Amino acid sequence: MVDPRLPPGQQWVAAGKWPLVGEPPPDVPDGPWTIDVLGRVHHPRRWTLEELQQLPAVDITLDIHCVTRWSRPATSFRGVLLETVVSFSEPLADARFVSFVSRSPRAHSTSLPWPVARQLGVLIAWQADGRPLDREHGGPVRIITPKRYFYKSLKWLQTIELLAEDRLGYWESQAGYHNEADPWREQRYMAASLSRQQVRQLLASRDWSFQEWRSMDAAGRDLRNLNARGAVLRDADFRKANLCGACFDGSNLSNARFQGAILTNASFDGADLEGAHFEAADLRGASLRQVSLLGATFFLPTDESSCPFPAEVEQPAMVDSTTIVSRRSLDDLVPVQAAFLAARAQVVND
Ligand SMILES: Nc1nc2c(c(=O)[nH]1)N[C@H]1C(S)=C(S)[C@@H](COP(=O)(O)O)O[C@H]1N2
Ligand SMILES: [Mo]
């Protein structure tokens, strides 16, 4: 029977059990436990845990879902809303992400888009199931992020940093965990079909040749010299990734998002780039021979500027005479996009 409360691929732990996951607890500091709010805020501020406990407390009950496939039902937490604490510091207009950093030897971290953190009701929690948080479970104070895999719930909270640009967290950057982490969409790893072992391998080897990974989440990742020849990477998210020198020859990248990516000296020869987005991407030295560009975009026409685009797409792609594109590939584009490329790139007849 399908349990409607259990996301796909999860199992409930035995009653009362709560597994421990991740690094060991850090040493207790001598003085009081403090939490800093800093970064893109008007008023950086240091709180003691006692001060936080004077703020209006909030109780929530949620099911914990760990990416390693266990779930724990109806766990209650008491704390203060992250939004309440951050509001004392008044975020700047460009504060688009929030990063949590742990008081641990490896400065463990994770991050969320700031609007998502507010909408989900992220909690700074010091009690679980009516008792002070155990040290192993992040005591004295941890983050609780509802509706996301539990790796977005940082233990031993030390710093809350508001950021203009995202900074991938520890598991996200080191182990290829998905940066959105929605258990109902099974966003476990960079691509849904991958195992943990496969993710480790593909991050280490950067050899994705002839692999098929749809909806790959590779935004912001360092993937210099990636070999993705012949790969099927439809709908992949490569926004702001470093793909300098990457090889995408013959690969299927339809609807892939490359906004703000570094694509210097990357090669796309023979690739399917239908519907791909290249706004603000650096395409200097890149090769686009015999590519299929139907519906691809390199800049956003200015007459659409009335709608609020995210910052990464405000700029056109960086294209110059070191960017190579086949003349017949230009025919796939709408006239304004074709004219943009033709005026800047080296157009070759092949
Ligand atoms: N500081 C820190 N926080 C962390 C981790 C970690 O290794 N270090 N692991 C994360 C992961 S993957 C999970 S599943 C949960 C585990 O929390 P628990 O040990 O209380 O079950 O903590 C998250 N927060
Ligand atoms: Mo986890």
Side-chain angles (χ1 to χ4, degrees):
M1 259 223 19
V2 178
D3 183 336
R5 274 175 58 200
L6 205 53
Q10 296 291 115
Q11 299 173 62
W12 295 119
V13 292
K17 287 275 186 315
W18 185 352
L20 287 176
V21 183
E23 58 182 346
D27 296 334
V28 202
D30 291 337
W33 191 279
T34 58
I35 293 135
D36 288 328
V37 180
L38 43 81
R40 305 302 300 162
V41 294
H42 285 285
H43 315 290
R45 177 161 175 173
R46 171 165 293 180
W47 297 80
T48 63
L49 179 54
E50 280 191 355
E51 286 169 334
L52 290 184
Q53 289 167 338
Q54 311 299 311
L55 297 173
V58 171
D59 290 294
I60 57 171
T61 299
L62 48 77
D63 301 334
I64 295 172
H65 305 298
C66 176
V67 72
T68 58
R69 298 182 184 274
W70 59 266
S71 293
R72 183 179 201 268
T75 308
S76 69
F77 293 97
R78 169 168 295 180
V80 58
L81 282 176
L82 172 71
E83 184 170 14
T84 305
V85 175
V86 168
S87 68
F88 284 88
S89 292
E90 290 183 47
L92 297 170
D94 67 357
R96 289 194 296 265
F97 296 89
V98 58
S99 171
F100 308 113
V101 185
S102 176
R103 189 187 296 272
S104 69
R106 69 182 184 207
H108 189 94
S109 66
T110 192
S111 70
L112 293 166
W114 174 232
V116 171
R118 288 192 334 240
Q119 183 222 325
L120 295 177
V122 168
L123 203 65
I124 301 173
W126 52 80
Q127 266 189 28
D129 289 338
R131 296 194 306 114
L133 257 184
D134 286 338
R135 194 142 190 86
E136 294 74 26
H137 288 301
V141 60
R142 75 178 294 167
I143 289 292
I144 292 295
T145 300
K147 298 193 169 73
R148 291 294 178 267
Y149 285 123
F150 212 32
Y151 58 86
K152 291 291 181 184
S153 294
L154 181 113
K155 304 197 268 190
W156 314 294
L157 176 66
Q158 176 168 43
T159 308
I160 298 164
E161 186 172 355
L162 278 291
L163 299 168
E165 304 284 345
D166 197 8
R167 186 196 295 144
L168 287 182
Y170 181 86
W171 292 119
E172 293 87 335
S173 63
Q174 302 300 305
Y177 284 17
H178 200 290
N179 199 26
E180 274 173 61
D182 181 347
W184 295 98
R185 291 158 69 196
E186 257 205 294
Q187 294 171 322
R188 294 177 198 278
Y189 304 110
M190 294 163 67
S193 55
L194 287 168
S195 71
R196 189 183 176 121
Q197 197 53 35
Q198 282 174 309
V199 174
R200 279 188 195 283
Q201 270 170 17
L202 78 90
L203 281 178
S205 73
R206 297 191 191 172
D207 184 359
W208 303 10
S209 53
F210 304 102
Q211 302 293 329
E212 183 168 342
W213 288 317
R214 285 202 177 197
S215 308
M216 169 70 78
D217 163 45
R221 291 180 188 277
D222 180 358
L223 293 166
R224 276 171 285 180
N225 300 315
L226 177 76
N227 174 11
R229 178 186 298 271
V232 179
L233 296 165
R234 289 183 202 179
D235 303 310
D237 187 349
F238 285 111
R239 284 174 297 171
K240 293 199 174 153
N242 187 347
L243 291 158
C244 170
C247 174
F248 288 105
D249 291 352
S251 58
N252 184 334
L253 292 160
S254 52
N255 296 319
R257 285 167 288 167
F258 286 104
Q259 289 103 324
I262 300 172
L263 291 166
T264 45
N265 302 320
S267 179
F268 291 94
D269 297 349
D272 179 346
L273 294 169
E274 294 186 2
H277 294 277
F278 288 100
E279 293 84 3
D282 188 346
L283 282 161
R284 289 173 297 179
S287 176
L288 295 102
R289 289 173 185 267
Q290 317 228 13
V291 291
S292 157
L293 287 176
L294 204 74
T297 52
F298 294 84
F299 75 103
L300 292 164
T302 44
D303 57 308
E304 288 172 28
S305 60
S306 51
C307 48
F309 292 113
E312 67 252 32
V313 302
E314 275 161 17
Q315 301 294 320
M318 265 185 268
V319 174
D320 67 13
S321 60
T322 63
T323 310
I324 297 171
V325 60
S326 298
R327 187 169 304 280
R328 56 189 166 121
S329 295
L330 292 178
D331 296 340
D332 298 339
L333 293 166
V334 297
V336 285
Q337 299 288 336
F340 172 87
L341 272 194
R344 293 165 177 80
Q346 181 186 336
V347 181
V348 295
N349 297 305
D350 54 5

